Amino acid sequence: MKIKTNKTILTLYPNTMGMCYALFDSPNDLVDYGIGHVRPVNNKKSIAKVAHYLDYYKPDIVIVRGLTKYNYKNNKRNKKLIDLICTKAKEKNLEVLQYNRSQIKEVFNQFEANTKYQISKKLIEWFSKLEALEYPYRKEWMNENHNVGVFDAISLGVTHYYLNG
């Protein structure tokens, strides 16, 4: 019988593509990651996707994108969805944590990664299997690349490990 010493962490980062996620068994063990596409994007379909992830991965801890006052005011659908994710995870007696963009930036600033693009490059450096998701630098007028959300989800896990190391 294998005794589990590390807690499995599932990070969830809702965005316009659907539900981005990452699964960690330890700080250096990024087990799975991806985008659960939801079309059309709505909370009912998104929370069904979350329920599937919780049942399939059976995490010990769920980490969700935290919203700042600015995000909260300007994106009520995301705020409601994040509240629903927290409720769903707590119903399954899971520990739920949230980290906002400022906390993520605070951690990655120490590694000279200040933007989402720089953070993605740092994550690729640490987890070489992410190279396939690398995206070009975004000019102001360009839409955000669909892979950005995966890096956002992974950065939540790294932030957790770094702040609770």
Side-chain angles (χ1 to χ4, degrees):
M1 183 169 130
K2 184 179 176 187
I3 297 174
K4 190 174 182 182
T5 55
N6 289 322
K7 292 186 174 188
T8 299
I9 293 173
L10 176 64
T11 66
L12 299 167
Y13 199 98
N15 69 8
T16 57
M17 300 299 289
M19 187 62 58
C20 300
Y21 67 93
L23 187 75
F24 290 86
D25 274 342
S26 71
N28 298 317
D29 191 9
L30 175 59
V31 177
D32 199 6
Y33 52 88
I35 304 169
H37 293 278
V38 176
R39 291 288 177 238
V41 173
N42 67 54
N43 287 357
K44 186 175 180 181
K45 288 182 179 184
S46 295
I47 204 66
K49 185 82 64 183
V50 167
H52 170 74
Y53 292 151
L54 295 176
D55 291 340
Y56 183 77
Y57 290 119
K58 300 187 184 337
D60 300 299
I61 300 171
V62 173
I63 300 174
V64 189
R65 168 187 178 186
L67 295 176
T68 62
K69 262 185 172 177
Y70 173 77
N71 296 123
Y72 176 82
K73 249 175 27 180
N74 293 314
N75 199 337
K76 290 182 178 160
R77 187 193 71 81
N78 260 354
K79 170 63 175 136
K80 175 88 171 143
L81 178 56
I82 288 168
D83 289 345
L84 288 169
I85 292 169
C86 293
T87 300
K88 180 66 80 177
K90 287 175 183 174
E91 285 172 2
K92 294 183 175 288
N93 297 316
L94 299 172
E95 183 179 353
V96 178
L97 302 169
Q98 291 186 323
Y99 298 105
N100 63 37
R101 192 94 214 127
S102 298
Q103 291 168 298
I104 294 167
K105 286 178 93 170
E106 182 182 312
V107 167
F108 281 90
N109 279 339
Q110 297 171 54
F111 303 102
E112 298 178 11
N114 303 309
T115 65
K116 284 188 174 194
Y117 179 75
Q118 291 169 339
I119 290 170
S120 75
K121 296 298 256 180
K122 186 56 68 177
L123 290 171
I124 290 169
E125 185 181 313
W126 294 339
F127 303 102
S128 60
K129 62 185 170 185
L130 297 175
E131 268 183 39
L133 300 179
E134 188 172 9
Y135 56 90
Y137 180 78
R138 180 173 77 101
K139 306 279 196 273
E140 268 185 52
W141 65 86
M142 297 167 68
N143 288 334
E144 193 170 77
N145 184 285
H146 67 278
N147 286 333
V148 172
V150 175
F151 288 98
D152 288 335
I154 295 168
S155 69
L156 280 173
V158 170
T159 298
H160 170 75
Y161 285 118
Y162 196 84
L163 295 178
N164 296 287

